[in-house]
Amino acid sequence: LFLSSMAHQHTPFDPDVGLNALQNYILSPNNYFILKQHANPDGSKYAELVLQKPLDREEHPSLSLKVIAVDGGNPQRSGTVNINVSVLDANDNAPVFNQSIYRAVVVENAPKGTYITTVNATDADIGTNGEVIFSFAKIRGFTVDIFSIDENTGVISVAGLIDYEKEKKYELRLEARDRGGLTGTSKVIIDISDVNDNFPVINIMSFSNTVSEDAPIGTTIAVVNVKDADSEKNGQINCAIDKTLPFKIQSS
Ligand SMILES: [Ca+2]
Ligand SMILES: [Ca+2]
Ligand SMILES: [Ca+2]
Ligand SMILES: [Ca+2]
């Protein structure tokens, strides 16, 4: 808080005496300050500007006050002084993300550096009190290494190998910290989309390598198990057997 052009205490000099001398100080209407008037032992008066409620730079970065000193004479004479108060910033606002949750999708196996999404936070303070640094919050002491976040721009990108077959979805906690140490949080949910990067794998469970020539139709010769680690269409399998052979495949 700066008080310029006038000190806390001010005694306009009025050479008159009695009623014609200084009678009163008046402060222009405002929400923050009041004037306390005091009398010196010699009868002269002075006033003190006293803060009544906390200043808020974010609401009012500066205040213009006027103090009027009036005498008791007729005609009444007055003197005016202007007081400009500049409110210095305190770090009283934490950064706030513009979304409480962010969602994004990235394909598996996307190369390092692939853009995923951008998060943003604002801080109502100024200077370093309002400078925001982004990071992923540690989850149970574990840091995320397959995604990275640019601490200045909030850009989230791929930093490691993403395998849909291992993890289909990531939920990461975000932190925005100002230089004064106040933090805001949010989260980002990253859905991984599947790529057809797995071949079907055939496992023979049982197999009879001899079959009687009079075996009835429908006799089971072999049981195979076929798997594809991918999802949906990428994991759907069609089994076929050479049509010229006297065997058919049936799913169970
Ligand atoms: Ca502030
Ligand atoms: Ca702040
Ligand atoms: Ca896949
Ligand atoms: Ca596949």
Side-chain angles (χ1 to χ4, degrees):
L1 170 67
F2 282 132
L3 286 180
S4 54
S5 81
M6 182 191 178
H8 283 271
Q9 300 175 2
H10 181 68
T11 312
F13 177 67
D14 187 332
D16 294 331
V17 288
L19 269 185
N20 290 337
L22 179 70
Q23 289 294 300
N24 201 13
Y25 285 102
I26 300 160
L27 177 64
S28 55
N30 72 92
N31 294 323
Y32 296 98
F33 293 96
I34 54 159
L35 269 187
K36 265 193 180 163
Q37 309 207 28
H38 303 278
N40 288 317
D42 66 1
S44 63
K45 289 175 174 171
Y46 68 92
E48 204 179 352
L49 198 53
V50 180
L51 189 60
Q52 279 291 91
K53 72 170 222 188
L55 294 165
D56 184 1
R57 191 209 60 84
E58 283 72 56
E59 204 184 333
H60 296 293
S62 68
L63 299 165
S64 278
L65 305 172
K66 202 171 262 190
V67 175
I68 304 163
V70 290
D71 65 17
N74 191 8
Q76 196 174 51
R77 302 282 185 198
S78 68
T80 301
V81 65
N82 292 313
I83 302 169
N84 292 312
V85 179
S86 302
V87 182
L88 294 180
D89 188 39
N91 190 23
D92 55 351
N93 291 280
V96 177
F97 278 96
N98 62 353
Q99 285 177 228
S100 60
I101 186 161
Y102 296 85
R103 290 203 84 119
V105 179
V106 66
V107 293
E108 63 170 326
N109 307 328
K112 280 186 188 181
T114 300
Y115 172 86
I116 298 174
T117 192
T118 304
V119 299
N120 193 26
T122 51
D123 187 306
D125 300 314
I126 54 167
T128 55
N129 291 337
E131 263 174 43
V132 177
I133 297 287
F134 297 101
S135 64
F136 289 127
K138 281 188 181 177
I139 301 163
R140 295 182 294 271
F142 142 94
T143 42
V144 186
D145 53 0
I146 64 170
F147 302 105
S148 68
I149 185 163
D150 185 299
E151 64 169 25
N152 298 311
T153 62
V155 168
I156 296 174
S157 48
V158 175
L161 181 69
I162 301 170
D163 184 359
Y164 178 87
E165 282 68 49
K166 223 164 132 189
E167 201 76 67
K168 294 171 174 49
K169 189 187 194 177
Y170 289 87
E171 199 173 308
L172 308 170
R173 294 209 64 79
L174 296 164
E175 208 170 84
R177 180 181 296 269
D178 67 24
R179 302 269 183 196
L182 297 181
T183 57
T185 58
S186 180
K187 68 176 171 182
V188 59
I189 294 174
I190 302 172
D191 288 299
I192 311 301
S193 64
D194 189 30
V195 163
N196 191 14
D197 57 349
N198 289 280
F199 293 95
V201 177
I202 302 173
N203 273 304
I204 295 170
M205 314 297 284
S206 73
F207 178 63
S208 355
N209 51 4
T210 57
V211 189
S212 162
E213 64 173 336
D214 60 356
I217 288 175
T219 301
T220 300
I221 308 300
V223 178
V224 297
N225 178 289
V226 190
K227 274 186 185 160
D228 186 309
D230 297 314
S231 292
E232 297 180 16
K233 281 193 169 154
N234 294 335
Q236 271 172 25
I237 306 158
N238 286 311
C239 292
I241 193 161
D242 193 332
K243 285 201 167 65
T244 62
L245 295 174
F247 304 109
K248 65 170 184 179
I249 274 187
Q250 192 176 302
S251 73
S252 55

